[in-house]
Amino acid sequence: MRLATFNLLHGRSLTDGLVDPDRLTAAVHALDADILALQEVDRDQSRSGHHDLTTIAAHALDAPEHRFAAAVVGTPGEHFRPLRHDDDGHGEPCYGIGLISRHRVRSWHVTRLKPAPVRSPLYAPGPGGGLILLRDEPRVVLAAVLDTPHGPLTAAATHLSFVPGWNAYQLRHVVRALRALPAPRILLGDLNIPAGPARLLTGWQPLARHPTYPATAPRVQ
């Protein structure tokens, strides 16, 4: 079974800044994943051509099962609000995470995580970047209980806060939520926490070891 996690940056290319559905399709197809977690996913956003990026990625994998879970309604960095319930935000621009599976899904489960209560400094690279104070966003965990050739399996996707300490608190919350679902359990996503501390916080075994951050010249996982 091949697992992958992909931070889409709402589909925007790091080379020319464009959002191209054909490029996204090619990139996801090349991953050839049986289970794919997506972060920084747009749905009905003008900046990404009003596309449903989760659906595009699912079609690229010829995967019959997929779901998008919005973390906010609106556009991050501009105007947004938390969801009032899981079906909120239809017909409005949304931003969140996705989970795609080639295996049949028995059930879907959504867990919502509160944002950090204070603004936090974040370094933005590139021209016009530097240290900025950002308001944290609500986060979400999307889990699926799957039927696989190896038996039932729980796969979950999330994108945790960039605020140090708060992301650790969120990760512990995620583990507690997933314990209620069938084992074995796999957590995929952008945790914003180095691999070593993430392993200590969860007690879970990392399945991959590779530098991922910063994206332009990765040095740490």
Side-chain angles (χ1 to χ4, degrees):
M1 184 183 295
R2 186 171 172 87
L3 313 169
T5 183
F6 188 6
N7 187 317
L8 296 186
L9 191 65
H10 63 268
R12 181 166 62 88
S13 168
L14 289 174
T15 55
D16 58 20
L18 299 179
V19 176
D20 184 338
D22 292 335
R23 280 188 198 168
L24 177 59
T25 296
V28 171
H29 180 76
L31 292 173
D32 192 27
D34 299 300
I35 301 171
L36 174 64
L38 301 174
Q39 304 88 50
E40 299 196 9
V41 184
D42 279 1
R43 188 182 71 187
D44 294 329
Q45 296 275 3
S46 58
R47 66 184 183 181
S48 50
H50 298 279
H51 292 293
D52 182 339
L53 300 184
T54 307
T55 298
I56 291 173
H59 289 167
L61 292 174
D62 196 24
E65 301 275 13
H66 67 276
R67 185 168 172 182
F68 167 81
V72 299
V73 178
T75 305
E78 298 178 15
H79 301 289
F80 64 86
R81 62 171 173 81
L83 270 74
R84 290 184 286 267
H85 50 80
D86 288 344
D87 294 327
D88 197 6
H90 284 287
E92 299 179 78
C94 291
Y95 176 80
I97 60 174
L99 187 61
I100 298 167
S101 173
R102 287 173 170 166
H103 303 291
R104 188 178 75 85
V105 174
R106 289 186 181 181
S107 58
W108 293 99
H109 305 266
V110 174
T111 302
R112 303 209 164 272
L113 305 173
K114 294 180 180 179
V118 296
R119 290 179 180 266
S120 183
L122 181 72
Y123 179 76
L131 204 61
I132 53 176
L133 278 177
L134 282 184
R135 177 164 62 108
D136 196 18
E137 304 156 8
R139 308 284 171 156
V140 63
V141 187
L142 176 59
V145 179
L146 309 174
D147 277 326
T148 80
H150 313 285
L153 174 107
T154 297
T158 195
H159 186 184
L160 301 183
S161 172
F162 59 87
V163 179
W166 193 257
N167 46 26
Y169 167 80
Q170 289 179 332
L171 182 56
R172 295 298 297 270
H173 188 113
V174 172
V175 169
R176 287 195 299 271
L178 295 183
R179 281 188 185 135
L181 301 177
R185 306 172 187 97
I186 298 171
L187 177 62
L188 301 158
D190 185 343
L191 304 184
N192 277 318
I193 299 173
R199 179 179 59 81
L200 292 174
L201 285 163
T202 59
W204 292 14
Q205 178 66 35
L207 294 182
R209 296 185 183 278
H210 197 77
T212 61
Y213 180 85
T216 50
R219 296 188 303 273
V220 297
Q221 180 176 334

